[in-house]
Amino acid sequence: MERVTEPTRTELGQIESARLQLGRGTRVEVRNHFISSWSNGFEVTGVEGDGYRVRRVSDNVELPATFMPDEVRPQLFARR
């Protein structure tokens, strides 16, 4: 997992628009509350109620938690 820089205001608008369309197989970044940043390398495996199930792409392991929409954003950016 790599740290990702914070998006600009324009990029935030694009993220919000894309967030509404997150479906199975969408590559995403997940909010890391321990270091107050976003981590990439994840993919949506399903939608449960108001949240998302995700897996780590590196080892194909589904995380044992459901993430709220504000904790997941589409991976729109190249690594920096």
Side-chain angles (χ1 to χ4, degrees):
M1 291 181 285
E2 296 181 28
R3 287 187 70 181
V4 179
T5 59
E6 292 299 314
T8 65
R9 186 169 281 219
T10 300
E11 292 168 335
L12 283 173
Q14 293 170 339
I15 290 167
E16 282 305 312
S17 175
R19 187 174 278 149
L20 300 174
Q21 303 169 13
L22 294 180
R24 186 179 172 96
T26 303
R27 295 289 297 258
V28 295
E29 297 170 353
V30 175
R31 186 76 177 155
N32 184 327
H33 294 281
F34 296 108
I35 60 174
S36 296
S37 187
W38 293 89
S39 298
N40 62 16
F42 298 91
E43 182 177 280
V44 173
T45 58
V47 179
E48 285 189 3
D50 292 335
Y52 297 100
R53 301 289 303 188
V54 300
R55 72 174 182 89
R56 271 190 312 263
V57 174
S58 62
D59 60 5
N60 210 28
V61 172
E62 185 171 342
L63 302 184
T66 300
F67 293 83
M68 300 311 297
D70 63 342
E71 298 175 311
V72 178
R73 70 182 185 189
Q75 186 174 320
L76 299 176
F77 312 104
R79 295 178 184 164
R80 298 179 188 185

